[in-house]
Amino acid sequence: MRALLLKHAALRRPLTTATAALLWALFALLTPVVALICGLFSLRPGGRARAVRIAVFALCYLTAELAGLAYAAWLWLRAGFGRRLGTPRMQEAHYALLATLLRRLYLIGSKLFNVQISAPATVTPHSCAPPSLPPTPGRPLIVLSRHAGPGDSFLLVHALLTLAHRRPRIVLKESLCFDPLIDVILGRLPHCFVGPGVRGGERATEQIGRITGTMGAADALLVFPEGGNFTPRRRLRAIASLRRRGLARASARAHHLRNLLPPQPAGVFAAVDAAPHADLVFVAHTGLDHMQSVGQVWRGLPLTHPVEVTWWTIPAERVPMEEDARLRWLHGNWAEIDAWISRAQQTESMS
């Protein structure tokens, strides 16, 4: 059934949209009940009230989901029943819709869960340069970020749209098709859904090359080279997989990474080859990575420390073209992200 739904949007979208509507009705009924029960148990003033916060955010998220789907339907009508969805005007309208929804959800999430973003003054202890992005208009960007903790991809897309003023082209897991708003909006914009297994990775590599090769000066490709959220268990599985495949050097590099999964270079290099004029941006963050299970999310909300983030930009002409040198370059930058995370976490534990 899952494979059938993933293959046929005409079957998948009515089902996922109906599910979102039913969940909205459920949370609309339950949220006041949860708030009342919490009040009867006399939660102390200023207490975390996790159940209420999560229920309210879920209701707000589902409301944004349904409102976004309604507006997307209106855009489809305006586009001549979908015939002009690929025009620049319609593309901009969909990016504007995505930016508006993410901005409002970010504001709600920051209030409910105390999400604060803190950018350090410098990239590394050995540098005086603050994190910066090339000005727009300029070159297209290929953004390579770690992937850890709930909501980090939403925060990155929000930052690209509203702070960097870039139009993101996102590489994301195929299972996110089951979010109807992501499915509909990204289905009308350049994107890449990555399926499981070797075949899914090969198809994704080809698709990444296609969507990167057509990027303009205001576009940015967002890639998570780890292929999934970091957990210590996944890290050990990745190291064991590299050993089984006889990749001793890659296994040794992965073993030295404490906070990251080893990067998967195929998609990254497909993007670089397709857009050799694009600058590369490496993104490191910490503050959400301690929430790796449902229980940890429950205990970790609201946040007690800001989300620390940094990044550095590498001009296109400084990206190696020879395969071995490029691989060393990728792993070197990945090791720098790992070291920065360790330093940031150590500082947080001392505060």
Side-chain angles (χ1 to χ4, degrees):
M1 176 61 73
R2 183 179 185 275
L4 184 66
L5 291 175
L6 285 171
K7 186 175 181 181
H8 300 287
L11 295 176
R12 178 179 69 248
R13 289 177 180 173
L15 180 61
T16 56
T17 302
T19 302
L22 287 172
L23 286 173
W24 180 89
L26 179 64
F27 275 94
L29 290 171
L30 289 182
T31 299
V33 176
V34 172
L36 177 61
I37 292 173
C38 289
L40 290 175
F41 275 90
S42 300
L43 288 175
R44 65 187 184 279
R48 292 191 170 194
R50 293 185 182 95
V52 177
R53 293 172 189 263
I54 292 172
V56 169
F57 184 78
L59 180 60
C60 292
Y61 182 89
L62 290 165
T63 301
E65 185 106 13
L66 296 176
L69 287 169
Y71 195 81
W74 166 241
L75 290 176
W76 182 81
L77 291 173
R78 283 178 53 192
F81 298 96
R83 291 192 300 271
R84 297 189 299 275
L85 283 174
T87 62
R89 183 179 179 184
M90 281 294 110
Q91 294 279 289
E92 289 294 340
H94 282 82
Y95 277 121
L97 171 60
L98 187 60
T100 299
L101 293 173
L102 288 177
R103 181 168 56 250
R104 291 177 180 176
L105 287 172
Y106 171 73
L107 290 173
I108 294 167
S110 63
K111 296 294 185 183
L112 289 172
F113 302 133
N114 194 32
V115 178
Q116 302 175 38
I117 309 298
S118 175
T122 58
V123 176
T124 71
H126 313 293
S127 170
C128 295
S132 62
L133 289 172
T136 299
R139 296 174 175 176
L141 298 179
I142 299 172
V143 181
L144 308 177
S145 174
R146 78 168 305 201
H147 199 8
D152 67 330
S153 55
F154 287 91
L155 291 174
L156 275 167
V157 175
H158 165 68
L160 286 171
L161 281 164
T162 61
L163 302 179
H165 305 292
R166 297 278 178 159
R167 297 186 299 252
R169 303 183 175 200
I170 310 168
V171 181
L172 65 171
K173 282 188 173 182
E174 188 179 50
S175 57
L176 287 172
C177 283
F178 291 108
D179 182 303
L181 186 62
I182 292 175
D183 189 16
V184 170
I185 293 184
L186 292 192
R188 300 175 184 179
L189 299 171
H191 71 284
C192 175
F193 284 121
V194 181
V198 175
R199 183 55 187 155
E202 291 174 351
R203 287 196 299 266
T205 299
E206 296 171 3
Q207 194 173 355
I208 288 170
R210 286 197 299 272
I211 66 173
T212 309
T214 57
M215 286 200 303
D219 294 319
L221 179 76
L222 177 57
V223 183
F224 299 96
E226 293 164 293
N229 262 301
F230 169 85
T231 66
R233 193 172 185 178
R234 285 179 177 171
R235 172 181 170 270
L236 293 176
R237 286 207 304 264
I239 294 171
S241 175
L242 291 170
R243 285 175 179 165
R244 285 196 303 271
R245 290 153 55 193
L247 303 174
R249 185 177 299 178
S251 173
R253 289 195 190 105
H255 182 75
H256 286 96
L257 297 173
R258 297 301 177 189
N259 310 290
L260 302 171
L261 302 177
Q264 300 177 20
V268 176
F269 295 163
V272 172
D273 288 336
H277 57 299
D279 290 335
L280 276 289
V281 180
F282 284 89
V283 178
H285 65 81
T286 185
L288 298 170
D289 37 10
H290 62 287
M291 295 184 286
Q292 299 168 359
S293 67
V294 174
Q296 289 172 337
V297 170
W298 175 262
R299 292 188 296 272
L301 292 176
L303 299 179
T304 56
H305 292 87
V307 178
E308 299 279 353
V309 61
T310 194
W311 60 89
W312 53 92
T313 303
I314 299 177
E317 55 270 17
R318 287 178 49 196
V319 179
M321 300 308 296
E322 193 269 326
E323 185 175 353
D324 287 342
R326 186 188 285 179
L327 195 60
R328 290 193 299 272
W329 165 85
L330 175 61
H331 283 285
N333 280 280
W334 216 242
E336 186 61 43
I337 292 178
D338 187 69
W340 180 88
I341 294 168
S342 293
R343 292 193 298 269
Q345 289 176 342
Q346 184 177 14
T347 301
E348 179 183 310
S349 65
M350 295 170 62
S351 62

